[in-house]
Tab-separated table of all heavy atoms in Angstrom:
chain	number	residue	atom	x	y	z
K	126	GLU	N	65.714	139.016	106.014
K	126	GLU	CA	65.021	139.627	107.215
K	126	GLU	C	66.054	140.199	108.212
K	126	GLU	O	65.927	141.229	108.714
K	126	GLU	CB	64.298	138.465	107.962
K	126	GLU	CG	63.429	138.841	109.104
K	126	GLU	CD	62.541	137.774	109.668
K	126	GLU	OE1	63.140	136.870	110.327
K	126	GLU	OE2	61.369	137.714	109.344
K	127	THR	N	67.195	139.486	108.319
K	127	THR	CA	68.256	139.979	109.118
K	127	THR	C	69.650	139.693	108.520
K	127	THR	O	69.797	138.596	107.815
K	127	THR	CB	68.269	139.357	110.603
K	127	THR	OG1	68.369	137.985	110.413
K	127	THR	CG2	67.026	139.633	111.303
K	128	VAL	N	70.498	140.548	108.697
K	128	VAL	CA	71.978	140.331	108.275
K	128	VAL	C	72.793	140.771	109.471
K	128	VAL	O	72.741	142.010	109.813
K	128	VAL	CB	72.418	141.137	106.983
K	128	VAL	CG1	73.762	140.703	106.619
K	128	VAL	CG2	71.427	140.805	105.868
K	129	GLU	N	73.625	139.843	110.094
K	129	GLU	CA	74.359	140.235	111.261
K	129	GLU	C	75.804	139.841	111.187
K	129	GLU	O	76.062	138.821	110.530
K	129	GLU	CB	73.711	139.524	112.459
K	129	GLU	CG	72.222	139.896	112.702
K	129	GLU	CD	71.653	139.160	113.869
K	129	GLU	OE1	72.149	138.012	114.175
K	129	GLU	OE2	70.632	139.603	114.348
K	130	VAL	N	76.713	140.634	111.768
K	130	VAL	CA	78.043	140.256	111.852
K	130	VAL	C	78.192	139.294	113.155
K	130	VAL	O	77.601	139.586	114.191
K	130	VAL	CB	78.927	141.424	112.082
K	130	VAL	CG1	80.392	141.042	112.361
K	130	VAL	CG2	78.794	142.383	110.969
K	131	ALA	N	78.857	138.200	112.946
K	131	ALA	CA	78.975	137.276	114.069
K	131	ALA	C	80.509	136.838	114.190
K	131	ALA	O	81.244	136.766	113.109
K	131	ALA	CB	78.069	136.071	113.772
K	132	GLY	N	80.862	136.370	115.342
K	132	GLY	CA	82.254	135.897	115.512
K	132	GLY	C	83.331	136.809	115.073
K	132	GLY	O	83.123	138.061	115.223
K	133	PRO	N	84.333	136.402	114.529
K	133	PRO	CA	85.524	137.315	114.093
K	133	PRO	C	85.168	138.012	112.804
K	133	PRO	O	85.927	138.957	112.479
K	133	PRO	CB	86.633	136.266	113.807
K	133	PRO	CG	85.955	134.999	113.390
K	133	PRO	CD	84.756	134.994	114.225
K	134	GLY	N	83.940	137.685	112.165
K	134	GLY	CA	83.754	138.513	110.910
K	134	GLY	C	82.871	137.890	109.949
K	134	GLY	O	82.786	138.136	108.727
K	135	PHE	N	82.153	136.812	110.398
K	135	PHE	CA	81.165	136.174	109.599
K	135	PHE	C	79.932	137.117	109.376
K	135	PHE	O	79.665	137.906	110.215
K	135	PHE	CB	80.597	134.912	110.243
K	135	PHE	CG	81.699	133.929	110.483
K	135	PHE	CD1	82.124	133.573	111.857
K	135	PHE	CD2	82.402	133.234	109.491
K	135	PHE	CE1	83.086	132.617	112.139
K	135	PHE	CE2	83.399	132.319	109.759
K	135	PHE	CZ	83.780	132.066	110.999
K	136	LEU	N	79.310	136.829	108.314
K	136	LEU	CA	77.978	137.577	108.015
K	136	LEU	C	76.919	136.378	108.053
K	136	LEU	O	76.958	135.538	107.214
K	136	LEU	CB	77.891	138.305	106.722
K	136	LEU	CG	78.750	139.527	106.591
K	136	LEU	CD1	78.625	140.141	105.311
K	136	LEU	CD2	78.407	140.530	107.750
K	137	ASN	N	75.983	136.548	108.966
K	137	ASN	CA	74.879	135.599	108.960
K	137	ASN	C	73.564	136.175	108.423
K	137	ASN	O	73.190	137.251	108.691
K	137	ASN	CB	74.557	135.172	110.480
K	137	ASN	CG	75.586	134.253	110.951
K	137	ASN	OD1	76.317	133.541	110.192
K	137	ASN	ND2	75.691	134.238	112.308
K	138	ILE	N	72.912	135.483	107.438
K	138	ILE	CA	71.794	135.950	106.751
K	138	ILE	C	70.600	135.151	106.881
K	138	ILE	O	70.608	133.932	106.726
K	138	ILE	CB	72.178	136.166	105.164
K	138	ILE	CG1	73.334	136.955	104.972
K	138	ILE	CG2	70.901	136.690	104.413
K	138	ILE	CD1	74.598	136.178	104.505
Side-chain angles (χ1 to χ4, degrees):
E126 185 173 78
T127 60
V128 185
E129 298 175 340
V130 177
F135 302 113
L136 291 179
N137 288 338
I138 303 106

